[in-house]
Amino acid sequence: MAAERLVIIGGDAAGMSAASQARRLKGPDELSITAFERGHFTSYSACGIPYWVSGDVTERDQLVARTPEEHRARDIDLRTRTEVTEIDVAGRRVRALDRESGETYWTGFDKLVIATGARPVRPELPGMDAAGVHGVQTLDDGQALLETLERTTGRRAVVVGAGYIGVEMAEAMLKRGYEVTVLNRGEQPMATLDPDMGRMVHDAMDGLGITTVNGAGVTGIRSGPDGRVTEVTTDGGSYPADVVVLGIGVEPETTLARAVGLPLGPQGGLLTDLSMRVTGHENIWAGGDCVEVLDLVAGRTRHIALGTHANKHGQVIGSNVGGGYGTFPGVVGTAVSKVCDLEIARTGLREKDARAVGLRFVTATIESTGRAGYYPGARPMTVKMLAEYRTGRLLGVQIVGREGAGKRVDVAAVALTAGMTVEQMTALDLGYAPPFSPVWDPVLVAARKTVSVLRKAGTA
């Protein structure tokens, strides 16, 4: 009997995790695996690109978990520099373009995995295609930016956007000796936080010498006679630039899926069931940054582009297409980042998220330190907590602080996943020693204060 044919579109975290897991379960005599990747690299950490650009990571290959050659050695037919340009759902085949030779051809499948990732948001504004303007999503993007930096004699960098990518790239450019301006359309940097917490990020960035301009809607990019960027224009003024980095965010890359009518969610990501099978399609799976997943707190789907999720999706997909079983139940929206020594973390809902799904809530904000106050090196930390009105169910946590602040959000992520109330959280048996925490950990202090707020509101 001929081997079943698995085709995978996309060779990064979700796609190659799926391929590797499927291969563990079935040998090449039972399952042939063909994977298409339009870039040069596979199985790499896109999240590490800002740290490669900054110089904290010295070599590109340090970000690569498994090379194309290593995948091929495991009987995976991996075709790099080959882009899938069309899916024929009824005919169970995909059309591929070899970007080196220009050849196009069809490849049949019995099972298909779509892992096309996300693309940087690139507004359709004048000058966005000027030389020196870079989005940063893939290793190829990072390589292109580094090559621009090597050729650029000027030292003025403008980062458009102040989300995770924006602040990380602002730090990277600062470390490379650039004068950095961040243009942020929103009220404060880090729109994934509430504005009161985002203000702390703004103050810290100012303290580092990064100029952050809020309420700045970019209107275009101007270039010189040589076609290279010279300034970024906004509705409030213009800013000189020798290099521009787009940190506006990403959106699901679902062009192929949209063209054949596969189901998409409100944010443009593919919709799947718990097994990561595309809704309504028995033999098509999808995972990684091109899908929307269930938010366990809000009860609706959302698009979250993170390597942690992509790798889990791939494991689940690989198990299912390889004859095993796996599910991905959803997320609570946990993310951490930093700008220099300032750590930024969040999980669950912001105030605007809770309002959007009709939840009533209370909030509490506390200031503490990451270690016992008397222990050397104790640094300040601010924790904000949201809890549901009446029930006291934890809804979200945001943390901004110095060393030891960011990963404290994991306690809250576990509590959210477990559906705990803030009162239940106050009894958590967390680790304590003066070098690691005050007697009352900051997250527990925030939980205690939130309980107090609930009681004053007459709901606890």
Side-chain angles (χ1 to χ4, degrees), residues 34 140 152 167 176 284 302 325 338 446:
T34 304
D140 290 289
T152 301
V167 299
R176 282 198 161 262
I284 304 177
R302 59 187 294 202
Y325 177 71
K338 76 178 189 74

Side-chain angles (χ1 to χ4, degrees), residues 22 59 124 140 361 398 411:
E59 298 292 335
E124 294 184 6
D140 290 289
F361 60 90
Q398 299 164 40
V411 173

Side-chain angles (χ1 to χ4, degrees), residues 362 389-391 451-460:
V362 301
Y389 183 75
R390 292 193 183 278
T391 69
V451 170
S452 177
V453 172
L454 284 164
R455 285 175 177 159
K456 287 179 181 176
T459 66

Side-chain angles (χ1 to χ4, degrees), residues 111-372:
K111 295 178 178 179
L112 176 67
V113 175
I114 302 173
T116 44
R119 58 178 177 266
V121 174
R122 200 176 189 103
E124 294 184 6
L125 296 172
M128 278 291 169
D129 293 327
V133 179
H134 292 267
V136 184
Q137 178 66 15
T138 67
L139 280 190
D140 290 289
D141 294 336
Q143 186 69 58
L145 174 57
L146 284 172
E147 289 170 0
T148 290
L149 298 181
E150 290 171 2
R151 295 192 303 264
T152 301
T153 56
R155 310 305 292 174
R156 299 168 301 182
V158 171
V159 178
V160 180
Y164 289 106
I165 298 170
V167 299
E168 289 169 358
M169 290 309 303
E171 175 186 352
M173 302 309 289
L174 187 70
K175 286 188 172 183
R176 282 198 161 262
Y178 280 76
E179 176 187 323
V180 182
T181 300
V182 176
L183 302 179
N184 174 38
R185 189 174 182 176
E187 180 182 350
Q188 294 293 346
M190 296 300 296
T192 52
L193 306 176
D194 288 321
D196 53 340
M197 299 294 281
R199 177 70 211 182
M200 298 177 193
V201 179
H202 187 172
D203 291 345
M205 291 171 70
D206 282 350
L208 294 166
I210 298 171
T211 300
T212 305
V213 184
N214 294 319
V218 172
T219 56
I221 291 176
R222 293 176 182 157
S223 55
D226 61 355
R228 298 193 61 79
V229 60
T230 57
E231 63 180 345
V232 180
T233 62
T234 73
D235 46 19
S238 63
Y239 300 86
D242 301 299
V243 62
V244 174
V245 180
L246 302 179
I248 306 170
V250 297
E251 55 193 8
E253 177 47 88
T254 50
T255 305
L256 292 171
R258 187 183 298 275
V260 293
L262 296 180
L264 305 178
Q267 295 176 295
L270 278 156
L271 297 178
T272 70
D273 61 18
L274 292 177
S275 72
M276 304 305 299
R277 192 190 313 261
V278 173
T279 305
H281 292 269
E282 183 70 19
N283 297 302
I284 304 177
W285 285 258
D289 294 352
C290 65
V291 305
E292 293 185 22
V293 294
L294 177 64
D295 184 322
L296 297 173
V297 186
R300 58 170 59 172
T301 63
R302 59 187 294 202
H303 177 245
I304 304 177
L306 281 176
T308 51
H309 301 163
N311 278 285
K312 292 172 186 173
H313 296 169
Q315 287 286 310
V316 169
I317 293 168
S319 293
N320 289 319
V321 301
Y325 177 71
T327 61
F328 185 81
V331 301
V332 294
T334 307
V336 293
S337 186
K338 76 178 189 74
V339 54
C340 294
D341 69 340
L342 183 76
E343 300 181 6
I344 307 158
R346 57 75 51 87
T347 189
L349 307 182
R350 301 164 295 177
E351 291 189 25
K352 64 185 291 186
D353 301 325
R355 293 190 189 99
V357 294
L359 291 170
R360 293 181 64 188
F361 60 90
V362 301
T363 70
T365 302
I366 64 97
E367 294 183 1
S368 184
T369 56
R371 301 173 178 175

Side-chain angles (χ1 to χ4, degrees), residues 82-96:
T82 307
E83 180 176 5
V84 172
T85 58
E86 184 180 350
I87 301 171
D88 178 0
V89 175
R92 291 194 180 185
R93 59 181 187 161
V94 299
R95 186 201 296 269

